[in-house]
């Protein structure tokens, strides 16, 4: 029998996706950097507001020193988990944290673990 605090199968699957995304230390670091993008990325070189639109993948790539394809794969993983959102500005993709979704995940964890 399911108790009030048990997770539904859908919620469990969503949490597993979040845990998989955060299990990689670089992806975890990227999410931390995106919390305060102006402290970690060159705002003066940005073509859009890093809080409103996000940080350009080329700036993320420059900071990490990783290949563009690797950065894109890492950001796609974070996006599948619902932790970031992407926005296209011209030919560039920008990423920002989804604070509402992150708060939901934290809330589910605080009530179920």
């Amino acid at each position: 029998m399911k108790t009030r605090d048990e997770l539904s199968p859908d919620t469990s699957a969503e949490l597993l996706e979040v845990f998989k995304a955060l299990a990689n230390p670089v992806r975890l670091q990227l999410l931390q950097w995106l919390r305060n993008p102006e402290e970690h990325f060159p705002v003066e070189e940005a073509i859009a507001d890093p809080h409103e639109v996000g940080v350009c993948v080329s700036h993320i790539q420059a900071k990490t020193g990783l290949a563009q394809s690797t950065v894109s794969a890492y950001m796609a993983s974070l996006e599948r988990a619902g932790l970031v959102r992407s926005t296209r500005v011209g030919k560039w993709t920008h990423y920002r944290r989804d604070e509402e979704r992150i708060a939901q995940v934290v809330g589910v964890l605080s009530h179920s673990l």
Side-chain angles (χ1 to χ4, degrees), residues 2-85:
K2 208 166 149 179
T3 66
R4 185 176 71 81
D5 291 334
E6 280 187 52
L7 298 174
S8 72
D10 288 343
T11 302
S12 292
E14 289 177 24
L15 283 178
L16 286 175
E17 195 69 35
V18 169
F19 293 150
K20 284 190 282 186
L22 297 178
N24 177 291
V26 175
R27 288 192 297 257
L28 180 60
Q29 181 69 68
L30 290 171
L31 195 61
Q32 291 171 331
W33 285 338
L34 289 173
R35 185 173 196 168
N36 296 305
E38 65 283 344
E39 291 179 20
H40 302 285
F41 298 98
V43 176
E44 64 280 354
E45 295 176 22
I47 61 171
D49 182 316
H51 285 286
E52 294 257 336
V53 178
V55 175
C56 183
V57 80
S58 63
H59 292 138
I60 297 169
Q61 178 188 0
K63 181 151 178 91
T64 62
L66 299 172
Q68 186 273 332
S69 59
T70 302
V71 171
S72 292
Y74 283 176
M75 298 312 295
S77 176
L78 290 169
E79 189 168 29
R80 273 192 308 278
L83 301 171
V84 300
R85 290 183 178 201

Side-chain angles (χ1 to χ4, degrees), residues 7 11 14-15 18-19 22 31 35 78 81-85 96-112:
L7 298 174
T11 302
E14 289 177 24
L15 283 178
V18 169
F19 293 150
L22 297 178
L31 195 61
R35 185 173 196 168
L78 290 169
L83 301 171
V84 300
R85 290 183 178 201
R96 65 182 168 84
R97 288 167 48 112
D98 186 338
E99 297 296 345
E100 184 177 316
R101 170 73 172 139
I102 291 169
Q104 288 173 344
V105 169
V106 170
V108 168
L109 289 174
S110 71
H111 288 95
S112 61

